[in-house]
Amino acid sequence: MRWAILIGSLGLLVGSVPSFGAALSPEERAFFDKHMSSIVEIEPTRVSNPAVDRVFSAPIYDIKITIHQGQGTETSHVTVARVGSDLIEMSNPGSNAELPNVKKLISPKFKLKTDADGQALQSAMDAIDPIQFHGDEKEKAVRHQGNAWTLIRGTFFKKHKGYVFITNAAGDVRVVRYSLDLP
């Protein structure tokens, strides 16, 4: 969702380009590559946290995107992981969704079997997806039943929201979902 906001904002900035998408000439592309940084700033910062290092197998980065337009500035954040020569987007989707990218990045050494493991996972998620709203912090909890581990991250229309991690008998995470309507 955050990428959609960025792409939409960039579309507004380059409003002179017709919506039917005329391709830029090499000279135009070079001009925008040279000058875009005066409108859009991108600042990656590595997330440094022992829980993140324990839970995930790749370095995680917070990318701060600042867009200067008119008299104001808009800032957003995107969480990504570096896997080889690829960046994998990990940000909270903001709606009910399965998160295969998050699942792929969980370290094979990390086992989700004990309450301490659940707390480590919650700490890792705090570092990569901080709770945004003041009242949500008091709702934060880790629950598990059978092989389903639920990380409550706040409320959405009086229902809990957060992550569900499904494990196998060995504690390996098999499925990661985000939900706005947790029980």
Side-chain angles (χ1 to χ4, degrees):
M1 183 162 129
R2 292 177 183 157
W3 283 109
I5 292 169
L6 172 64
I7 291 168
S9 297
L10 287 175
L12 292 173
L13 291 173
V14 191
S16 62
V17 177
S19 63
F20 50 85
L24 297 180
S25 69
E27 179 185 332
E28 290 172 312
R29 172 57 58 197
F31 174 83
F32 278 97
D33 288 347
K34 180 178 178 183
H35 295 285
M36 189 59 72
S37 65
S38 66
I39 299 169
V40 179
E41 295 175 43
I42 299 174
E43 284 183 55
T45 304
R46 185 166 181 172
V47 176
S48 178
N49 180 290
V52 169
D53 296 340
R54 177 179 171 204
V55 172
F56 295 103
S57 61
I60 309 293
Y61 298 88
D62 172 68
I63 299 178
K64 178 181 174 186
I65 302 164
T66 306
I67 300 172
H68 304 281
Q69 52 190 14
Q71 298 297 321
T73 302
E74 181 181 327
T75 301
S76 62
H77 291 263
V78 177
T79 304
V80 299
R82 180 179 177 186
V83 179
S85 61
D86 294 326
L87 281 180
I88 296 177
E89 201 266 337
M90 296 183 63
S91 298
N92 169 332
S95 63
N96 296 343
E98 202 158 308
L99 303 174
N101 285 344
V102 174
K103 186 235 173 255
K104 282 192 295 190
L105 294 169
I106 293 177
S107 172
K109 295 177 184 175
F110 178 72
K111 306 297 179 196
L112 187 51
K113 295 176 81 171
T114 68
D115 289 343
D117 298 333
Q119 288 302 324
L121 182 57
Q122 182 80 292
S123 293
M125 297 310 290
D126 283 344
I128 67 170
D129 182 26
I131 290 178
Q132 301 291 321
F133 301 106
H134 179 67
D136 284 348
E137 185 68 36
K138 67 182 178 186
E139 299 293 329
K140 187 170 93 169
V142 177
R143 297 182 184 154
H144 88 279
Q145 184 173 7
N147 68 339
W149 292 78
T150 303
L151 276 57
I152 297 173
R153 309 288 292 160
T155 59
F156 181 75
F157 289 105
K158 298 184 181 182
K159 291 193 173 194
H160 286 119
K161 65 181 177 180
Y163 297 90
V164 177
F165 292 79
I166 307 296
T167 63
N168 64 14
D172 300 311
V173 175
R174 294 297 179 209
V175 176
V176 179
R177 286 192 297 256
Y178 184 80
S179 178
L180 295 173
D181 57 358
L182 296 169

